[in-house]
Amino acid sequence: MSTASRAIPIDSVPRSVWAVPLLVGVAVLLEVTVMPFIGILDGVPDLLAPTVVAIGMLRGSLTGAISGMVGGLFVELASPIGTLGVLALLYLCVGAFAGRYHEREESMGWVVPIVFSVTAAGAVELGYGVVQALLGNGLGPADLVGRVILPTMALTALLSPPVLLAARYLLQPREPKPQESA
């Protein structure tokens, strides 16, 4: 039997098998290469938060949690961050919490995912700031909120709609093909 006869046609592979890793990979790549150059004060836009929120809301809590953990871990491995595992845990929580809204009707609109993405970006920055403060490396509370969290949330709010649009395009179920009658 030749390998060509055993090849799986691309139409039979579910879109989420390749779309979820593609979305997370592109978000991580942009997060560590382009986003550090776009910033206000010490705030940097967070592309991984809206990506993980969209994946969680469209595919459920398990897929959202796994994509958040993997994305957070890759961000930590690709950028010079001293505390390994903190971002992975924070994005895991974001993905799992966003996945809880998978079956709710309001997750299909635009307002809830954008608000949740912005809130998730702020929560990740707050969680990371708290861990850094516990380690003795952090900013004061006023500097953390004013110089990091609020600018990050504002920039994430500007970049969330295109991320959510791309995720909805790639992760929405395809229409079933009509069966040919024999």
Side-chain angles (χ1 to χ4, degrees), residues 5-79:
S5 64
R6 289 186 282 164
I8 299 173
I10 193 71
D11 290 344
S12 66
V13 177
R15 187 183 284 186
S16 63
V17 169
W18 58 267
V20 170
L22 176 73
L23 284 168
V24 172
V26 167
V28 167
L29 183 67
L30 290 174
E31 186 78 30
V32 298
T33 58
V34 177
M35 293 304 130
F37 298 108
I38 303 171
I40 299 173
L41 298 174
D42 291 334
V44 176
D46 190 354
L47 285 182
L48 193 56
T51 304
V52 170
V53 165
I55 291 170
M57 285 187 162
L58 294 172
R59 290 292 180 249
S61 60
L62 182 63
T63 306
I66 290 172
S67 63
M69 184 199 65
V70 169
L73 187 61
F74 282 160
V75 166
E76 290 177 326
L77 291 174
S79 60

Side-chain angles (χ1 to χ4, degrees), residues 86-105:
V86 175
L87 286 179
L89 179 64
L90 291 169
Y91 283 116
L92 180 139
C93 294
V94 166
F97 190 70
R100 300 281 295 157
Y101 288 97
H102 173 64
E103 295 178 358
R104 302 184 104 190
E105 199 166 305

Side-chain angles (χ1 to χ4, degrees), residues 21 64 97 99 119 142-143 161-162 180:
F97 190 70
T119 306
D143 285 336
E180 294 180 16

Side-chain angles (χ1 to χ4, degrees), residues 159-176:
L159 295 177
S160 288
V163 172
L164 295 170
L165 184 66
R168 281 196 178 177
Y169 176 75
L170 289 174
L171 295 177
Q172 287 296 332
R174 287 186 265 182
E175 296 295 323

